[in-house]
Amino acid sequence: MKHLALATLAAATLFTALPAAAQFQKPEDAIKYRRSALFVMGQHFGRIGAMAQGKVPFDAAAAAANADVVASMAKLPWAGFGPGTDSGDTNALPEVWLETEKFKGGQQKMQEELAKLATAAKSGNLDQLKAAFGDAGKTCKGCHEHFKKK
Amino acid sequence: MKHLALATLAAATLFTALPAAAQFQKPEDAIKYRRSALFVMGQHFGRIGAMAQGKVPFDAAAAAANADVVASMAKLPWAGFGPGTDSGDTNALPEVWLETEKFKGGQQKMQEELAKLATAAKSGNLDQLKAAFGDAGKTCKGCHEHFKKK
């Protein structure tokens, strides 16, 4: 258990030291970066969802591995929402740049819930996984409804 | 140092438990997934390169954080190269599916070099970083030349 707890901590804190102002050569790169990171996360999150929703058999090791990827990568996309990246190939609404505190709060809440999901996934208990997946999903949905085009 | 070594280990091994056969709903998702993961990695790798090449000032903490992202994510793209994902929006050459052992060897070598890069980045020594970046870059280039369209 000690090793598992340590691994969870590592997963949740691994990418925290990244500088806030990321170095994108052009706005298109920032947009592609955030979309790419969110897509990769979504794929892994979806695999946990399939288990939580009983669409595929529960595989505790796979759930834990996928949750680690999601929790670690949850730190990444936000650097791609810098100034000047509000137009182009994006579904982000102007609210991202108009309500920055709310947007940051959503990022933070989502990362907290995904860290909890990673811990729940490591418990090997499907009910815990289902509950944590539901909570994490709500944070995704809450932000998408407010900050993302339909 | 103990904590740093532990963090490096965690970074290098975090995503290893992912099942080989990832669950993509359709081939396009697998292609988008691998391209997305490689793009995110490329962005972070490029930031280390900018320091290694003297284009931006050396920032040891940023180098280490970027190298952790690259080393962790280096496990991900390969699951997206499954059967039936050889056509569509991809620059992958048929050799990926014809020379599977060589392709796997390239993945392995690249992951080893990126784990070394993460360790070198944590040393805080620019010369070590430069050397490890050069070695890692060769493994990227070697595979791209053989397996990726020009």
Short mmCIF file of all heavy atoms in Angstrom, two decimals, chain B residues 37 48 65 89 93 114 119:
data_model
loop_
_atom_site.label_atom_id
_atom_site.label_comp_id
_atom_site.label_asym_id
_atom_site.label_seq_id
_atom_site.Cartn_x
_atom_site.Cartn_y
_atom_site.Cartn_z
N ALA B 37 -0.55 12.57 -28.92
CA ALA B 37 0.46 12.28 -27.89
C ALA B 37 1.84 12.70 -28.37
O ALA B 37 2.62 13.32 -27.62
CB ALA B 37 0.44 10.80 -27.53
N ILE B 48 13.08 21.70 -24.25
CA ILE B 48 14.39 21.28 -23.73
C ILE B 48 15.45 21.57 -24.79
O ILE B 48 16.54 22.05 -24.49
CB ILE B 48 14.38 19.78 -23.37
CG1 ILE B 48 13.28 19.49 -22.35
CG2 ILE B 48 15.74 19.35 -22.84
CD1 ILE B 48 12.99 18.01 -22.16
N ALA B 65 11.03 19.50 -15.51
CA ALA B 65 9.58 19.31 -15.62
C ALA B 65 9.20 18.87 -17.03
O ALA B 65 8.39 17.95 -17.21
CB ALA B 65 8.85 20.61 -15.26
N ASP B 89 -5.59 9.87 -41.90
CA ASP B 89 -4.84 11.10 -41.66
C ASP B 89 -3.54 10.80 -40.91
O ASP B 89 -3.38 11.11 -39.74
CB ASP B 89 -5.73 12.05 -40.85
CG ASP B 89 -5.09 13.43 -40.71
OD1 ASP B 89 -4.20 13.76 -41.52
OD2 ASP B 89 -5.48 14.16 -39.78
N LEU B 93 4.48 5.32 -42.43
CA LEU B 93 4.75 4.51 -43.61
C LEU B 93 4.35 3.06 -43.34
O LEU B 93 4.28 2.63 -42.18
CB LEU B 93 6.24 4.58 -43.96
CG LEU B 93 6.73 5.92 -44.54
CD1 LEU B 93 8.26 5.94 -44.60
CD2 LEU B 93 6.14 6.16 -45.92
N LEU B 114 14.90 8.76 -23.33
CA LEU B 114 14.13 9.83 -22.71
C LEU B 114 14.15 9.70 -21.18
O LEU B 114 14.09 10.71 -20.47
CB LEU B 114 12.69 9.83 -23.24
CG LEU B 114 12.57 10.31 -24.69
CD1 LEU B 114 11.14 10.18 -25.19
CD2 LEU B 114 13.06 11.75 -24.83
N THR B 119 16.68 12.08 -16.23
CA THR B 119 17.70 12.04 -15.17
C THR B 119 18.72 13.16 -15.36
O THR B 119 19.08 13.86 -14.41
CB THR B 119 18.42 10.67 -15.17
OG1 THR B 119 17.43 9.65 -15.03
CG2 THR B 119 19.42 10.57 -14.04
#
